Amino acid sequence: MTLIELASLFEARKLSVIEATGLDKDALHIYFGMTLFLLIRLAWRGRGGWFAAWLAVLVMACGGEWLDLTAEYSHSAIQPDAAHWHDIWNTTFWPTVLLIVGRWLQPSAEAPAEPTDVLSGENAERRLEQA
């Protein structure tokens, strides 16, 4: 499959999703960006998960726009650059906000305090014998 065929297939699938959902193209960018961000963030809860999720959204947005440019080039109907940057901005805005405030949303990793005064079983009797 050539790049132009792949771009045309991508464009056809995108149009079918727009028709099926009744959403605007800009709204789809927002939904797809947030969905990918949340899925990756839920799968990767460890250190670096916020950045990895944001980076995946950025790659998806840039890859989608690259395929859009390729499809437009094959149809000789290239949109202005501002329209493509607008799509990337729409896709990455809310994941960027979540990346920035993410450290405050995640619970702190403080270790629970170990109880030292609570003894039971054999250890409780040994404590009385040692005293």
Side-chain angles (χ1 to χ4, degrees):
M1 181 176 278
T2 66
L3 180 60
I4 293 176
E5 291 172 342
L6 181 65
S8 295
L9 179 66
F10 175 73
E11 186 177 2
R13 295 293 177 237
K14 187 168 61 170
L15 291 175
S16 66
V17 170
I18 288 171
E19 289 175 9
T21 60
L23 293 173
D24 187 37
K25 184 180 161 200
D26 289 339
L28 281 181
H29 280 273
I30 294 167
Y31 285 130
F32 274 99
M34 282 300 296
T35 301
L36 180 64
F37 184 86
L38 292 174
L39 286 175
I40 291 178
R41 187 61 191 119
L42 287 173
W44 186 346
R45 293 181 183 231
R47 184 179 175 110
W50 291 103
F51 184 72
W54 179 82
L55 190 61
V57 171
L58 181 64
V59 167
M60 179 192 70
C62 291
E65 289 310 306
W66 181 62
L67 287 172
D68 282 346
L69 274 171
T70 304
E72 290 169 8
Y73 180 73
S74 69
H75 300 304
S76 298
I78 298 178
Q79 293 182 0
D81 287 341
H84 294 288
W85 285 113
H86 176 79
D87 289 345
I88 293 171
W89 168 254
N90 268 342
T91 308
T92 59
F93 177 76
W94 285 111
T96 302
V97 170
L98 289 176
L99 173 70
I100 292 169
V101 300
R103 75 175 89 174
W104 295 290
L105 295 176
Q106 191 167 352
S108 63
E110 296 178 14
E114 293 184 24
T116 56
D117 295 337
V118 179
L119 295 174
S120 63
E122 280 185 32
N123 291 336
E125 292 175 11
R126 287 187 187 162
R127 183 172 179 182
L128 292 175
E129 293 172 0
Q130 292 174 357

